[in-house]
Amino acid sequence: SQQGEEDPQALSIQEGENATMNCSYKTSINNLQWYRQNSGRGLVHLILIRSNEREKHSGRLRVTLDTSKKSSSLLITASRAADTASYFCATGSGYSTLTFGKGTMLLVSP
Amino acid sequence: GAVVSQHPSWVICKSGTSVKIECRSLDFQATTMFWYRQFPKQSLMLMATSNEGSKATHEQGVEKDKFLINHASLTLSTLTVTSAHPEDSSFYICSAIGQTQETQYFGPGTRLLVL
């Protein structure tokens, strides 16, 4: 069964707004990663946060991790139309093994 | 750096034929490669994990004789869908990770349509 569950399943916003996606998982993890997938393409790695970290930033991305609640959030600030994609969280519990959630489809309208 | 390619990017074949998909790590040595399948608007489902020079480990429910995997070198893994049927039509994505890396790097995917 899938480890991560993203919420919401779909999100539609205007350019310039912030987009927040959440991910919940069930078992212990070593790290949690967020990926982006444009329609019909492969996955692009966005950010990795380790189980002993609480927050991480990368450009317009901000990721938080709450291991007590087994949840993570991805915030994209000042969104752009080019951010339109599906976003997946993936949890790692062993060397390199990843389990993906169902993803959030983000639509950013100009 | 850390580029993974897949070939072909799309393939259409007749039912009953076999299809081979290649996954290459272009600028690093991939000690482990992964094969995923993704149905429309669904998540990625891990099919198998392969380590260079050893037999692949298929996930439960994935037939190893149906989905043959070869990882003969540190930069190449192949997935062969044998006797393909329409239900095998899907988007197949590979990923690779090197010994010193923390993240998997994904290929662009191969779309398979079996008629």
Side-chain angles (χ1 to χ4, degrees):
Chain A
S1 61
Q2 287 173 322
Q3 166 81 301
E5 293 286 338
E6 287 90 344
D7 168 57
Q9 290 188 349
L11 180 61
S12 181
I13 59 175
Q14 300 287 322
E15 262 191 329
E17 295 180 340
N18 296 341
T20 300
M21 290 159 265
N22 302 296
C23 168
S24 59
Y25 57 93
K26 296 175 183 173
T27 62
S28 297
I29 60 171
N30 289 345
N31 60 64
L32 186 143
Q33 304 181 48
W34 285 90
Y35 287 84
R36 182 185 74 219
Q37 183 181 34
N38 289 84
S39 181
R41 308 294 290 271
L43 273 71
V44 174
H45 182 260
L46 296 177
I47 198 164
L48 178 152
I49 186 165
R50 296 184 182 82
S51 59
N52 61 352
E53 297 176 313
R54 292 295 167 259
E55 188 171 312
K56 208 161 183 180
H57 296 255
S58 176
R60 293 183 295 114
L61 305 180
R62 172 177 167 251
V63 168
T64 63
L65 179 64
D66 187 335
T67 53
S68 66
K69 295 181 180 178
K70 292 186 168 60
S71 68
S72 172
S73 68
L74 170 67
L75 168 67
I76 304 174
T77 60
S79 63
R80 305 166 183 167
D83 294 328
T84 295
S86 290
Y87 291 82
F88 294 91
C89 69
T91 51
S93 57
Y95 172 67
S96 74
T97 303
L98 290 178
T99 305
F100 283 85
K102 293 182 179 178
T104 293
M105 292 179 63
L106 173 65
L107 173 63
V108 182
S109 302
Chain B
V3 178
V4 176
S5 69
Q6 270 182 252
H7 177 79
S9 55
W10 58 270
V11 57
I12 301 172
C13 69
K14 291 182 178 179
S15 187
T17 60
S18 294
V19 175
K20 181 187 282 189
I21 302 170
E22 292 185 349
C23 177
R24 293 181 186 273
S25 56
L26 299 184
D27 51 2
F28 67 100
Q29 293 186 325
T31 48
T32 305
M33 285 184 165
F34 303 86
W35 287 96
Y36 296 85
R37 182 166 55 184
Q38 185 180 34
F39 291 107
K41 298 186 179 179
Q42 304 263 335
S43 185
L44 279 73
M45 298 301 295
L46 179 65
M47 298 176 66
T49 303
S50 73
N51 294 297
E52 183 266 337
S54 60
K55 283 186 179 179
T57 301
H58 289 68
E59 295 297 299
Q60 192 172 11
V62 179
E63 299 176 53
K64 60 180 176 63
D65 295 327
K66 168 92 176 159
F67 299 98
L68 298 175
I69 291 172
N70 183 279
H71 190 167
S73 78
L74 284 171
T75 59
L76 174 64
S77 175
T78 60
L79 166 67
T80 301
V81 183
T82 61
S83 186
H85 291 284
E87 57 265 30
D88 298 324
S89 298
S90 189
F91 191 54
Y92 292 86
I93 307 177
C94 73
S95 70
I97 187 167
Q99 205 164 14
T100 59
Q101 294 165 334
E102 276 187 298
T103 63
Q104 294 179 26
Y105 294 92
F106 285 80
T110 296
R111 190 163 301 282
L112 170 64
L113 177 60
V114 184
L115 301 176

